[in-house]
Amino acid sequence: MAERSRTHLVLIPSYNPGAKVYETVRGALRQWSPVWVVVDGSDDGTAEGLQRLAEEEPGLRVVVLERNSGKGAAVLHGITLAAQEGYTHALTLDSDGQHPAELIPTFMARSQAEPRAMVLGVPVFDASAPAIRVQGRKLSNGWANPETLGAGIGDSLYGFRVYPIAALMAVMRSQRWMRRFDFDPEAAVRLVWHGVPPVNIDAPVKYLTPEEGGVSHFNYLRDNVLLSWMHLRLLLEFIVRLPLLAWRRPRLRSYRRSPAPPGQ
């Protein structure tokens, strides 16, 4: 088992992920401790299974929310508890096995070296990636770049990233958005507005088939409407914030993208 960190934890928001979540959690525990799972109103039996797993794994904590409130709400609940226990940074990891657990130490080490920054995964796609998803994220990334005056967000949608907890709590508590599928891109943009510089690291992403245990809750129409509304809101707010952002932009240090380690 990995040595327990007192500052950085892995946070896994989970909603009806199926049995793949157990493999995801075990993979994270092999790389880092502690690992927290926030079960966001799941009714597929995984809450109970994760609680049983936590009895065997001292590095695992499972928090169960009775009602499904969305990924962002689950993350906010988790980081609020983490802050109360003295943690300063959280790496968010999807529960469905898409993210590379083996890169957790790399991301955490970069965060420890640059604690003021957010460490963003930049997806490296393989043949499993649906073309519509690959092309769709280009649109969101195209909006995020002008909304931050080109501050260096390598990818606005990939949820494999390390957040400074205090800064993320501040931007989430200041408004009522960022609670569902809009969480990842809006978090990246608002944290840049908050003065948090982005660090980008390449990381592979897998899209698993149902036969491989993959579960997706993505709804093309609903979630793209949500993202479009989000970017419209951000663009209008960006116009209001523009003088402050233009003044702050030279003070934001953006970083060159780091490639994935050899063999990943």
Side-chain angles (χ1 to χ4, degrees):
M1 185 178 67
E3 181 179 352
R4 191 180 188 91
S5 172
R6 296 184 178 181
T7 59
H8 288 58
L9 78 157
V10 175
L11 184 63
I12 305 177
S14 181
Y15 173 66
N16 287 351
K20 196 70 177 179
V21 69
Y22 306 121
E23 181 182 334
T24 300
V25 170
R26 290 190 178 98
L29 285 166
R30 285 193 291 270
Q31 303 295 333
W32 199 261
S33 179
V35 173
W36 290 14
V37 181
V38 179
V39 179
D40 186 28
S42 295
D43 57 10
D44 63 350
T46 53
E48 296 78 9
L50 288 166
Q51 288 173 320
R52 289 192 295 270
L53 182 60
E55 294 174 359
E56 306 169 4
E57 297 283 358
L60 175 62
R61 177 176 177 180
V62 178
V63 179
V64 179
L65 306 180
E66 293 185 2
R67 182 173 60 90
N68 175 250
S69 300
K71 178 180 181 178
V75 170
L76 179 58
H77 188 91
I79 62 174
T80 299
L81 294 177
Q84 292 171 358
E85 297 192 15
Y87 291 97
T88 59
H89 293 75
L91 181 148
T92 52
L93 180 74
D94 281 0
S95 62
D96 57 8
Q98 289 190 354
H99 295 168
E102 65 274 13
L103 288 187
I104 290 173
T106 299
F107 275 59
M108 293 299 206
R110 190 63 185 270
S111 174
Q112 290 165 337
E114 300 285 351
R116 192 171 66 90
M118 55 179 165
V119 182
L120 305 178
V122 179
V124 178
F125 297 107
D126 61 14
S128 69
I132 195 169
R133 298 288 292 273
V134 175
Q135 296 302 320
R137 73 191 312 114
K138 291 181 180 179
L139 180 61
S140 183
N141 291 336
W143 280 108
N145 187 52
E147 288 164 357
T148 57
L149 292 180
I153 295 175
D155 188 90
S156 64
L157 286 169
Y158 196 25
F160 186 63
R161 48 178 65 165
V162 185
Y163 292 108
I165 288 176
L168 182 58
M169 289 175 59
V171 299
M172 293 193 76
R173 289 176 171 176
S174 68
Q175 37 75 43
R176 63 188 182 91
W177 310 107
M178 298 171 60
R179 299 309 192 260
R180 292 194 175 273
F181 185 73
D182 55 351
F183 167 72
D184 290 316
E186 190 156 357
V189 170
R190 288 191 179 276
L191 283 171
V192 166
W193 290 355
H194 194 70
V196 177
V199 171
N200 299 297
I201 300 179
D202 288 347
V205 58
K206 297 179 181 179
Y207 285 88
L208 303 176
T209 65
E211 293 74 22
E212 295 172 312
V215 176
S216 176
H217 300 291
F218 178 77
N219 180 291
Y220 184 79
L221 177 60
R222 177 198 66 202
D223 291 332
N224 277 294
V225 168
L226 179 62
L227 288 178
S228 297
W229 164 237
M230 177 205 70
H231 281 299
L232 177 60
R233 287 189 290 101
L234 291 176
L235 183 61
L236 294 174
E237 190 172 346
F238 163 78
I239 294 171
V240 175
R241 291 175 175 265
L242 183 57
L244 176 60
L245 292 173
W247 173 82
R248 180 182 286 168
R249 177 64 183 87
R251 301 160 65 93
L252 268 178
R253 179 185 175 193
S254 60
Y255 298 83
R256 187 179 301 274
R257 179 185 303 179
S258 299
Q264 302 294 344

